[in-house]
Amino acid sequence: MPELPEVEVVRRGLAEHLTGAVFTGTTVLHPRAVRGQPGGAAALEQGLENALVVALHRRGKYLWAELGRPGHTRCLLVHLGMSGQMLLGAPGQVTSPHLRIRSRLVTADGSVLELSFVDQRTFGRWELTGYGVTDPVPHIADDPLTPGFDTPAVAPRGRTRPSEIKRGLLDQNGGSGVGDIYAAQALGAAPVPPLLFFTSRWG
């Protein structure tokens, strides 16, 4: 599963190429890729038509594109699941049998790109919402890579209930996006035993 740093790399790459681009056509090729979308594939395809990509954001492992459209402000929420990939290239370049969604966009400089959502395990998804990301994923807190992340404010939350330190690092309610691999590596580098309990001196 992509961890927080990998998802942030995806966000930065998409932001570089898609900010200011306009969706000109979307095709959903597998229903599981839009399983949370009210109205299904047709609603996503129609809702993205002529939508302008204003900015790309991330919270934890969720990505979302802030979209602008005459009379509307929407978000395209994306979760990569276990194996999802967001691939940019020339139209028709991606021919994977695991291609789930394909969108064509015209960039700010007039180039035509195709955004392909490839997902072998089909755990990832796209969802078009008319709300900010805090509505579909209210349980996801800010993460350590978020500008202005307040470590002194977050740290004391670990004292509120008994927990092993690794379990606390994985708790998405305090600080999000740190998965098993990075928690284990951080504790190993510290070094801190993963089963050590939080104490009043932590933070």
Side-chain angles (χ1 to χ4, degrees):
M1 174 183 289
E3 300 286 353
L4 183 152
E6 286 86 7
V7 180
E8 175 62 15
V9 168
V10 172
R11 186 203 67 78
R12 293 179 185 182
L14 293 176
E16 179 181 355
H17 296 285
L18 294 187
T19 302
V22 175
F23 283 88
T24 60
T26 297
T27 303
V28 176
L29 302 170
H30 197 293
R32 274 188 58 81
V34 292
R35 59 189 177 278
Q37 177 67 55
L44 184 88
E45 292 170 350
Q46 294 169 11
L48 285 177
E49 189 69 20
N50 297 321
L52 170 70
V53 180
V54 177
L56 275 297
H57 306 281
R58 179 191 55 77
R59 176 169 294 182
K61 297 179 184 178
Y62 284 85
L63 296 166
W64 76 97
E66 181 183 345
L67 305 176
R69 185 179 177 186
H72 299 276
T73 300
R74 290 186 169 187
C75 294
L76 173 63
L77 187 70
V78 176
H79 196 285
L80 300 179
M82 294 290 290
S83 59
Q85 296 176 284
M86 301 281 278
L87 304 178
L88 281 173
Q93 182 177 343
V94 176
T95 58
S96 168
H98 306 300
L99 179 60
R100 308 307 182 192
I101 302 175
R102 179 173 55 220
S103 287
R104 187 167 294 196
L105 301 99
V106 176
T107 66
D109 65 4
S111 302
V112 177
L113 288 176
E114 195 165 82
L115 175 61
S116 300
F117 182 53
V118 175
D119 186 11
Q120 181 178 2
R121 300 287 296 276
T122 65
F123 291 149
R125 64 186 179 92
W126 286 20
E127 180 183 344
L128 188 64
T129 172
Y131 308 98
V133 72
T134 53
D135 291 289
V137 287
H139 61 290
I140 301 295
D142 287 338
D143 63 63
L145 296 183
T146 301
F149 182 78
D150 191 347
T151 301
V154 172
R157 298 174 190 170
R159 306 172 187 156
T160 59
R161 55 185 180 275
S163 175
E164 299 93 345
I165 193 165
K166 184 178 180 184
R167 184 183 299 274
L169 291 174
L170 298 176
D171 184 356
Q172 304 294 289
N173 292 298
S176 69
V178 178
D180 186 70
I181 293 174
Y182 287 97
Q185 289 180 338
L187 292 174
V192 174
L195 297 183
L196 180 71
F197 268 67
F198 286 118
T199 71
S200 61
R201 295 181 60 82
W202 181 68

